[in-house]
Amino acid sequence: MAELAALEDPKARRVNERHGDDHGVNLGKLRALAKRLKTQQELACQLWQTGDTAARLLAILVCRPKAFARDELDVMLREARTPKMHDWLVTNVVRKNPHAEELRVAWSADPDPVVASAGWALTTERVAKKPEGLDLAALLDVIEAEMKNAPDRLQWAMNNCLAQIGIDHAEHRARAIDIGERLAVLKDYPTSPGCTSPYAPTWIAEMARRQQDR
């Protein structure tokens, strides 16, 4: 904790806080510290228990993802309220855990929109890498009915899933684009030059074009 405190940088904190993250540690320096520490599950658990955001991010980097029980991960996700902590926990830990599919189903139906967004993030992963057994048409039904009025974090996750379905599954592409056009979610989202817009119809069309060019 002393070493993390020494890495605190007011400039980094200002940047992080603009993205909803309450810590001032440069992520490159945090990753370098994690690389030096290597995997230490007991230390990871102790770091998480501090409640400190930088410590919890470090915990995610040095933990053993498969060592967590299902209920531990459920509690951790509900405690991970900052965007970076939430995203890293889902991507680096839950996704690699044997309970990932069970949690995906449970979280997707959770009344807490931040928890539900984690379920949708795991669903997007399955759409891309292991779609067997998923009812893609039913997922599109839910997105069509609920995405427009969903809270920001949940809306973003559902939009990612919509785009992934359209990109990876040509048989659903026309419907995915149609839903995106009618709902117009993130249509006006500011996008840096050279980056692809998160607006699903634009995103799907660009990625489909790249697939054809390969």
Side-chain angles (χ1 to χ4, degrees):
M1 292 305 292
E3 194 161 345
L4 283 172
L7 291 174
E8 175 75 22
D9 177 359
K11 187 176 176 183
R13 179 172 284 276
R14 285 195 297 274
V15 172
N16 291 332
E17 284 180 344
R18 283 204 296 272
H19 297 96
D21 292 309
D22 57 347
H23 72 94
V25 179
N26 175 280
L27 295 179
K29 292 180 179 178
L30 194 72
R31 289 189 180 95
L33 177 56
K35 189 174 181 181
R36 197 183 83 227
L37 290 169
K38 299 189 170 65
T39 301
Q40 295 192 48
Q41 179 66 10
E42 187 178 347
L43 174 61
C45 293
Q46 291 172 336
L47 287 167
W48 189 271
Q49 290 304 319
T50 67
D52 178 80
T53 296
R56 285 183 163 183
L57 291 173
L58 182 60
I60 289 167
L61 295 176
V62 301
C63 75
R64 189 175 295 108
K66 293 180 181 178
F68 293 104
R70 178 205 182 282
D71 290 347
E72 284 181 292
L73 290 175
D74 186 67
V75 170
M76 290 168 73
L77 185 87
R78 293 171 195 279
E79 293 175 344
R81 305 311 290 185
T82 65
K84 184 67 69 179
M85 196 192 307
H86 177 99
D87 292 345
W88 277 22
L89 184 66
V90 173
T91 302
N92 297 320
V93 182
V94 180
R95 189 168 60 86
K96 301 173 183 177
N97 184 275
H99 302 289
E101 177 61 16
E102 186 184 347
L103 289 167
R104 180 189 76 79
V105 174
W107 288 343
S108 295
D110 199 276
D112 183 329
V114 177
V115 174
S117 74
W120 279 93
L122 292 169
T123 299
T124 302
E125 170 90 5
R126 269 204 63 187
V127 167
K129 297 186 177 176
K130 196 180 176 184
E132 299 79 15
L134 282 180
D135 187 338
L136 299 180
L139 286 174
L140 289 174
D141 289 343
V142 176
I143 292 168
E144 186 172 19
E146 299 178 12
M147 182 172 74
K148 180 75 172 178
N149 297 314
D152 288 352
R153 295 270 288 281
L154 178 55
Q155 184 184 72
W156 186 272
M158 293 175 89
N159 184 72
N160 284 353
C161 191
L162 173 66
Q164 203 68 56
I165 291 171
I167 292 164
D168 288 339
H169 301 277
E171 69 276 20
H172 295 285
R173 187 169 294 155
R175 186 183 174 201
I177 290 172
D178 178 63
I179 290 170
E181 288 174 344
R182 281 188 289 105
L183 300 186
V185 167
L186 301 176
K187 186 173 184 178
D188 300 318
Y189 191 85
T191 305
S192 302
C195 295
T196 303
S197 169
Y199 174 52
T202 303
W203 189 1
I204 293 167
E206 173 60 21
M207 299 310 289
R209 182 190 66 75
R210 292 183 194 180
Q211 289 172 358
Q212 288 180 335
D213 290 347
R214 281 178 195 158

